[in-house]
Structures are given as structure tokens and as C-alpha cells.
Amino acid sequence: MVGGRSGTHKWCLNPCPCGYFTDPQRPCTCSPPQIQRYRSRISGPLLDRIDLHLDVPPLRYREITTDSQGEPSEQVRERVKEARALQQERFRRTRTFCNAQMGVKQLRRHCQIGPDGQALLETAIERLGLSARAHDRILKVARTIADLEGHETIRTDHLAEAIQYRTLDRRTGW
């Protein structure tokens, strides 16, 4: 599933015509040309405008029926509310509502990264063939991840997580 700007739009996209290309338990029946034709239906510039690209693997029966030990919804809700409050404070004297809406000047001001983060982002851009727009989206998502964790600065692990959410526009991956 891929989500649009600020979570306002969501699209679901199979990895191939049969839907099993990334499924670890079912074999894909599509030929490479079929997969390429299918994937070419969504353009790179459109993918660039989508903040998060997620590969959601199918759940096994036991995963569906077992009680989850994940973070309770109430806790998640509180973290999101706190992150939103940080963003409202950050942008209080502007027309910007959230990190996804940041312009270039705001991006430079609020999404500064250290030398290790710079090296990681440069490697991602070069090796994965990401665009300048994807670069900016990664920084915005990393800023949001840092906000969700209550960190004032963007750490390298925030950046690495944000890069992981760019699976569809990679030169080699999608």
C-alpha cells in the first residue's frame, strides 16, 4: 500500500499482475516483461509525490488468530497527538500545518542532519536512484519519525527508517 501526502490519500498496488511477486509463500506466475509492463503503469513522478511506500506481506493464520502484543492504540494515539503538538508549535507563525507541507526553507531549517546522516542519504540517493523530490520526502518523513519519538534532532536511525519507506521508486527494487 502506498499513502499520499499527509495520509490524505491511500492507494493499494500489487507488486505484479498476479499479486505474488513479493509473497514468500506463493510463487509468482508473471514473466519479467509482464511485471515491467504492470509496474510502468505508475510513473516515477507520481511515485515521487507519495510519501510512504510500504510492502505489506500477507499474514499467516497464526498471526491473524494470535493475540497481538503490539503497542496499544491508546499509546499510539498519544504519541501521534504529541508529535502533532510539536509540529503545531514548530509552524505556529506560518501557514504550514505539518511536516509534509514544509517548503524548501523550512526543510533546511527543521530537517538538518549530521555527517553520518548526510553520508547515508547520499548513498541512498546514488545507489537507489532516488530523485531530488524523494530526497525531500525522506527528510520530511524522518522529521516526523523523530517527532513521534520525541527527539528534537533527526538521528541516523530516523533517516534509515524513512529511506526504507521508499521501496517503489528504487531503480533496482520495484
Side-chain angles (χ1 to χ4, degrees):
M1 176 183 291
V2 288
R5 183 176 178 186
S6 304
T8 57
H9 306 303
K10 294 181 183 126
W11 298 277
C12 290
L13 182 69
N14 283 327
C16 66
C18 77
Y20 299 122
F21 183 68
T22 59
D23 192 319
Q25 297 169 0
R26 296 184 185 170
C28 175
T29 59
C30 304
S31 69
Q34 286 175 312
I35 295 170
Q36 186 59 40
R37 265 192 315 277
Y38 180 79
R39 291 177 175 181
S40 68
R41 290 173 35 197
I42 185 164
S43 72
L46 177 60
L47 286 174
D48 272 351
R49 289 170 171 83
I50 300 170
D51 292 345
L52 304 176
H53 308 176
L54 302 174
D55 185 20
V56 181
L59 295 174
R60 294 180 179 207
Y61 180 76
R62 288 182 187 201
E63 295 169 320
I64 295 169
T65 59
T66 304
D67 287 341
S68 173
Q69 298 299 318
E71 186 177 13
S73 296
E74 295 78 23
Q75 266 185 311
V76 174
R77 184 181 307 111
E78 284 307 309
R79 283 193 306 117
V80 170
K81 285 168 69 174
E82 290 169 9
R84 282 293 199 180
L86 283 172
Q87 291 175 39
Q88 286 176 343
E89 178 62 25
R90 179 179 298 133
F91 303 121
R92 73 177 178 269
R93 292 187 177 99
T94 70
R95 291 183 176 192
T96 303
F97 176 72
C98 63
N99 292 338
Q101 296 175 332
M102 280 190 279
V104 175
K105 287 182 182 180
Q106 291 169 322
L107 194 70
R108 287 188 184 133
R109 181 175 181 193
H110 301 297
C111 297
Q112 295 180 7
I113 54 177
D116 290 344
Q118 297 260 358
L120 175 63
L121 191 51
E122 180 180 4
T123 300
I125 298 296
E126 295 297 321
R127 287 193 183 164
L128 302 175
L130 301 177
S131 68
R133 185 176 281 124
H135 168 276
D136 293 353
R137 298 273 186 201
I138 288 168
L139 287 175
K140 292 173 185 182
V141 170
R143 172 73 268 157
T144 300
I145 294 166
D147 289 347
L148 286 166
E149 291 187 4
H151 290 276
E152 195 171 311
T153 59
I154 297 173
R155 297 186 332 215
T156 304
D157 60 316
H158 301 142
L159 202 53
E161 183 177 344
I163 291 166
Q164 290 300 310
Y165 296 140
R166 299 301 301 187
T167 59
L168 294 180
D169 57 356
R170 294 178 182 172
R171 206 183 288 149
T172 57
W174 166 245

